[in-house]
């Protein structure tokens, strides 16, 4: 029947009237002359957004609300997309943690904060950031400090310490871990450990 679509192989079958950019078809050009239903509009919007990149359910819900899609129609479409696997917040969170830790060196605290802003459930966030164990987090912190050391050479000792510790803090590393990693890196570079203690107290 006109105005319906089938769902198969885990993905929705595009409606003949849907445009690839997710815009609403011109009713005057529709085969039956009827305007698209709110559900059809919601499907087109979600498919366009998901084609660009994975999205959380909350992100898609916010996008539909901004475009004036009624809440009932939005809920129906979002639930259907979850059923067929087009929306998967757990998979989104896991991929986000891996990508942002590997690419930006973000620690668990920063990653959890980013996922919360995207509407991911707290239980899923905890599971996703749990992928990073303390050893991996510290290893990444050491790599970040190692890459930053050269650009800080020649600075006043205190300014250098603040710069390195601040860099790790902005990426979500705890103060204790940041101090420990920076202290070790500078000692390996030849800084006097006793002088470092004056600026970097013990954990």
């Amino acid at each position: 029947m006109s105005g319906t679509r089938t769902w198969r192989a885990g993905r929705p079958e595009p409606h003949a009237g849907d445009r690839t950019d997710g815009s609403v078809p011109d009713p005057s050009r529709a085969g039956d002359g009827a305007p698209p239903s709110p559900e059809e509009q919601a499907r087109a919007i979600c498919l366009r957004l998901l084609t660009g990149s994975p999205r959380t359910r909350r992100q898609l819900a916010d996008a539909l609300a901004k475009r004036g899609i009624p809440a009932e129609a939005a809920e129906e479409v979002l639930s259907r997309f979850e059923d067929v696997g087009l929306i998967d917040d757990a998979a989104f969170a896991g991929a986000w943690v891996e990508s942002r830790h590997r690419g930006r060196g973000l620690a668990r605290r920063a990653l959890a904060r980013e996922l919360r802003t995207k509407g991911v459930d707290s239980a899923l966030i905890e599971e996703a950031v749990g992928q990073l164990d303390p050893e991996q987090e510290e290893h990444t912190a050491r790599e970040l400090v190692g890459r930053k050391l050269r650009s800080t050479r020649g600075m006043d000792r205190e300014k250098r310490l603040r710069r390195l510790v601040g860099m790790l803090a902005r990426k979500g590393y705890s103060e204790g871990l940041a101090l420990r990693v920076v202290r070790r890196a500078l000692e390996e570079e030849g800084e006097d450990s006793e002088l470092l203690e004056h600026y970097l107290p013990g954990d």
Side-chain angles (χ1 to χ4, degrees):
M1 295 177 63
S2 177
T4 64
R5 74 176 68 201
T6 58
W7 301 78
R8 63 187 183 186
R11 297 186 64 87
E13 179 181 343
H15 189 279
D18 287 345
R19 296 180 179 179
T20 57
D21 63 357
S23 60
V24 178
D26 184 349
S28 65
R29 298 183 179 182
D32 57 5
S37 69
E39 290 78 10
E40 289 175 320
Q41 295 179 57
R43 282 194 290 268
I45 292 168
C46 288
L47 286 172
R48 176 177 61 80
L49 292 174
L50 289 169
T51 297
S53 63
R55 310 285 177 125
T56 66
R57 180 173 177 134
R58 172 74 63 79
Q59 287 177 307
L60 292 172
D62 289 346
L64 294 178
K66 288 180 180 178
R67 289 163 175 77
I69 302 297
E72 184 175 348
E75 180 69 20
E76 178 183 337
V77 170
L78 293 173
S79 294
R80 184 58 176 165
F81 271 46
E82 276 190 328
D83 290 343
V84 300
L86 290 176
I87 300 175
D88 188 336
D89 282 3
F92 177 96
W96 185 269
V97 167
E98 181 178 0
S99 173
R100 297 288 282 176
H101 180 73
R102 185 185 303 275
R104 298 288 303 279
L106 298 185
R108 286 173 290 183
R109 183 183 303 174
L111 292 165
R113 183 169 57 246
E114 289 187 340
L115 288 172
R116 280 195 296 271
T117 66
K118 296 181 180 301
V120 178
D121 180 78
S122 58
L124 296 180
I125 292 175
E126 183 176 352
E127 180 180 350
V129 299
Q131 297 176 22
L132 296 177
D133 57 42
E135 291 76 16
Q136 176 61 42
E137 200 170 46
E138 182 165 343
H139 176 74
T140 301
R142 293 185 188 284
E143 290 185 333
L144 290 169
V145 170
R147 292 198 294 265
K148 189 75 172 177
L149 274 177
R150 179 177 298 179
S151 66
T152 65
R153 288 172 185 160
M155 290 183 179
D156 171 83
R157 181 182 290 112
E158 183 173 5
K159 183 177 181 181
R160 191 182 193 196
L161 296 174
R162 292 181 183 278
R163 180 72 60 85
L164 293 169
V165 171
M167 179 268 294
L168 290 179
R170 287 190 296 274
K171 290 182 178 292
Y173 293 89
S174 68
E175 181 182 24
L177 174 60
L179 293 174
R180 183 171 66 251
V181 168
V182 170
R183 181 191 299 114
R184 180 175 298 182
L186 293 178
E187 286 176 350
E188 291 174 352
E189 199 178 55
E191 287 280 5
D192 189 307
S193 60
E194 292 186 3
L195 290 175
L196 289 175
E197 287 295 332
H198 175 71
Y199 297 105
L200 295 177
D203 297 339

